[in-house]
Amino acid sequence: MNIQVLGAHNCESQNSRLISLLIDDTIAIDAGSLTSSLSFSAQQRLKAILLTHQHYDHIRDIPAIAMNFALHSASTTINIYSIQSVYDTLATHLLNGKLYPKFLEQPQGNPTIKFTIVEPYQAEQIEGYDILAVPVNHTGPAVGYQVTSPDGKIALYTGDTGPGLADCWEHVSPQLLIIEVTAPDKYEEFAKEKGHLTPSLLKEELTVFRELKGYLPPVVVVHMNPRLEKEIETEIATVAKTLNNSINLGYEGMQLNL
Ligand SMILES: [Zn+2]
Ligand SMILES: [Zn+2]
């Protein structure tokens, strides 16, 4: 399994993109930088897009990619998978016929977006991959996705989450963990209130993981605030040393191979 980090951040600039991962060129998770990172032909190769939650930085490129598919040919469709609240947000606020076309419904009979609601803890077969949505702790409904490739490689991406992931850990067994750290330790109160992690909060979650599962996979951190990234990097290095585990910061263009 090859995972490419298309966007690794929570704020966009010329040098930082919003969160998006691409698995084996066929499955994307989160849509913060799909259209800005991928050529038209690479977008066309996507078989499915999984969305973790409804926040703008994770769904931003859905209208854009739907338009690209719709204008490619009227019969070209894209499969999107997520929880009910994400469907409702897209239908109500973005693809509502005012802000942008109703790609969830049109063209009639064969809408550009084929949206499938996923239920937490119910394994779903998507393009030969085993996909498990697991609830995480954010400000609204949110899930992470454990992705198992046809040859048995397992990666987990949490999406945005705050502390308290013991229940999540019980349901997963990743060989690679991609998890968020949005801000450095001095923002702990903000992180707890908004459902995010700092390096110290990550350390606590990884400690619980190791206690429950008896191991720790390599960890890649994403969703950093670019302007706080130096501080995050320094603090993450300390956590990695303390836990004696590989923890790296993700970056645009990073390739992970399992
Ligand atoms: Zn969020
Ligand atoms: Zn976010």
Side-chain angles (χ1 to χ4, degrees), residues 183-226:
D185 285 344
K186 68 183 179 200
Y187 289 86
E188 181 164 320
E189 282 317 303
F190 155 85
K192 284 180 171 169
E193 188 187 323
K194 301 293 184 190
H196 291 298
L197 294 174
T198 63
S200 286
L201 293 173
L202 174 67
K203 188 178 96 181
E204 290 170 27
E205 298 307 315
L206 295 181
T207 302
V208 172
F209 186 109
R210 189 178 258 162
E211 279 166 10
L212 285 170
K213 315 295 286 187
Y215 78 104
L216 255 190
V219 177
V220 173
V221 165
V222 293
H223 200 266
M224 293 77 67
N225 182 325

Side-chain angles (χ1 to χ4, degrees), residues 40-84:
F40 285 119
S41 57
Q43 291 173 37
Q44 223 68 51
R45 282 196 295 275
L46 286 176
K47 301 286 190 216
I49 302 171
L50 317 177
L51 300 172
T52 57
H53 67 297
Q54 68 200 32
H55 281 155
Y56 182 74
D57 52 323
H58 300 252
I59 63 170
R60 201 271 305 267
D61 284 357
I62 294 299
I65 203 163
M67 181 61 87
N68 291 346
F69 272 68
L71 294 183
H72 184 258
S73 100
S75 62
T76 315
T77 62
I78 177 76
N79 298 307
I80 297 184
Y81 297 79
S82 193
I83 49 180
Q84 182 72 48

Side-chain angles (χ1 to χ4, degrees), residues 80-123:
I80 297 184
Y81 297 79
S82 193
I83 49 180
Q84 182 72 48
S85 55
V86 172
Y87 178 91
D88 294 343
T89 297
L90 288 172
T92 306
H93 299 292
L94 289 181
L95 306 175
N96 57 8
K98 287 183 182 156
L99 197 76
Y100 233 37
K102 295 183 177 182
F103 289 125
L104 292 159
E105 299 166 22
Q106 295 167 354
Q108 258 187 8
N110 189 36
T112 303
I113 296 176
K114 300 259 187 291
F115 199 104
T116 303
I117 306 287
V118 296
E119 301 292 342
Y121 304 129
Q122 289 184 21

